[in-house]
Amino acid sequence: MLNENLSRVRKERSLTQEALAIKLNVVRQTVSKWEKGTAVPDADTLCRIADALDVPVVALLGDSAYEEQQDTESIAKALAQINEQLAIRNRHTATVWKILCLFSLIVIGLLIGRVHWEANHENSEIRLPDIADVSDVRFSSDDEELTCFFVPSIGNEDITYMVTLTTTDKSMSGVATAAQYENGICNASFDKSTLSGSAGYYAVLTIDYHGEVRNVKLADGLCFDEDSCSWQP
């Protein structure tokens, strides 16, 4: 190949790339590109290179087909072939790099997706504290419903919040209803027809997350009438 022959002959002449570049009035980087095979000189320049190295052009081309005919047209044809080979190699290299880049992007995308999934998965798996707590407990009463509001210390739509009202004197079995969780606040509504307004109640919250259960007492001495209610925290 031209690049290998050029490098070999230059070294045989004990010339550095810089020295050859000076002889040819080009920069050293140009000589380096010729020897690396990333660029090819034109026919006139190749003749000048051969003169500078004191070798026939064929010694650089390395093709016996041009031993007898070393005119500019023949040299140009030889260089055209070399250029074509270089272009094919460059296209092949570019294709390989594109495939490698695409493969790298796919791998990076999969890794990022996995990290994101694991982070979301970890965030979705919560743990209930040993002692659960609530705040801002209040009750409201109207003609049909008694509603309990509270803010749980652990809030999540996957948690089941169940509020149970039990009469203080145990005269009636407990009445339970699920609380709705929204924007950090829970509310549980009871049909007043299932309750006795004359009885006193205590309210207990049961927090259930995948079978892990915590109980919290919300209120004692809960009493209510048509439009008001009272309780002890």
Side-chain angles (χ1 to χ4, degrees):
M1 291 292 292
L2 172 60
N3 62 311
E4 296 173 351
N5 293 335
L6 175 57
S7 176
R8 175 179 54 77
V9 174
R10 175 183 61 78
K11 292 175 181 177
E12 289 175 354
R13 299 295 185 271
S14 300
L15 290 174
T16 64
Q17 289 182 347
E18 184 71 34
L20 179 58
I22 292 173
K23 282 177 173 286
L24 300 173
N25 196 28
V26 298
V27 296
R28 186 198 61 79
Q29 288 80 0
T30 300
V31 176
S32 176
K33 288 180 180 179
W34 293 337
E35 293 189 356
K36 288 180 180 178
T38 58
V40 178
D42 58 31
D44 290 338
T45 303
L46 184 59
C47 291
R48 289 171 53 213
I49 295 172
D51 289 342
L53 296 175
D54 193 25
V55 294
V57 173
V58 68
L60 299 177
L61 289 175
D63 192 340
S64 59
Y66 299 98
E67 287 183 0
E68 301 297 331
Q69 190 176 5
Q70 296 186 33
D71 57 280
T72 303
E73 183 179 353
S74 299
I75 295 171
K77 288 181 180 179
L79 292 176
Q81 292 178 355
I82 295 173
N83 266 317
E84 185 178 355
Q85 294 171 356
L86 177 60
I88 293 172
R89 187 179 67 182
N90 288 341
R91 286 197 295 270
H92 176 71
T93 302
T95 301
V96 171
W97 275 109
K98 287 179 181 178
I99 293 174
L100 290 175
C101 289
L102 179 60
F103 178 75
S104 298
L105 289 174
I106 292 173
V107 171
I108 292 172
L110 291 174
L111 290 175
I112 292 175
R114 178 169 181 174
V115 171
H116 182 69
W117 179 86
E118 289 179 349
N120 287 341
H121 186 67
E122 288 181 2
N123 291 336
S124 65
E125 291 294 330
I126 64 173
R127 291 186 177 277
L128 296 181
D130 293 337
I131 300 177
D133 192 15
V134 297
S135 60
D136 298 329
V137 180
R138 61 188 178 88
F139 294 85
S140 67
S141 177
D142 58 25
D143 292 340
E144 297 180 353
E145 291 184 333
L146 173 69
T147 304
C148 173
F149 299 90
F150 59 91
V151 176
S153 58
I154 299 295
N156 190 291
E157 294 180 354
D158 293 333
I159 295 177
T160 299
Y161 303 92
M162 186 71 67
V163 178
T164 302
L165 296 183
T166 305
T167 55
T168 305
D169 59 7
K170 308 290 185 179
S171 60
M172 296 177 62
S173 59
V175 179
T177 187
Q180 302 299 315
Y181 176 84
E182 186 175 359
N183 297 326
I185 301 174
C186 288
N187 69 86
S189 297
F190 295 85
D191 184 350
K192 291 176 71 172
S193 65
T194 63
L195 304 174
S196 171
S198 61
Y201 290 86
Y202 64 89
V204 174
L205 168 65
T206 300
I207 301 173
D208 186 341
Y209 181 69
H210 294 175
E212 192 175 0
V213 178
R214 301 289 186 272
N215 292 315
V216 184
K217 198 167 188 178
L218 298 177
D220 270 326
L222 173 63
C223 297
F224 59 90
D225 52 27
E226 291 184 355
D227 58 2
S228 65
C229 54
S230 62
W231 69 93
Q232 295 177 355

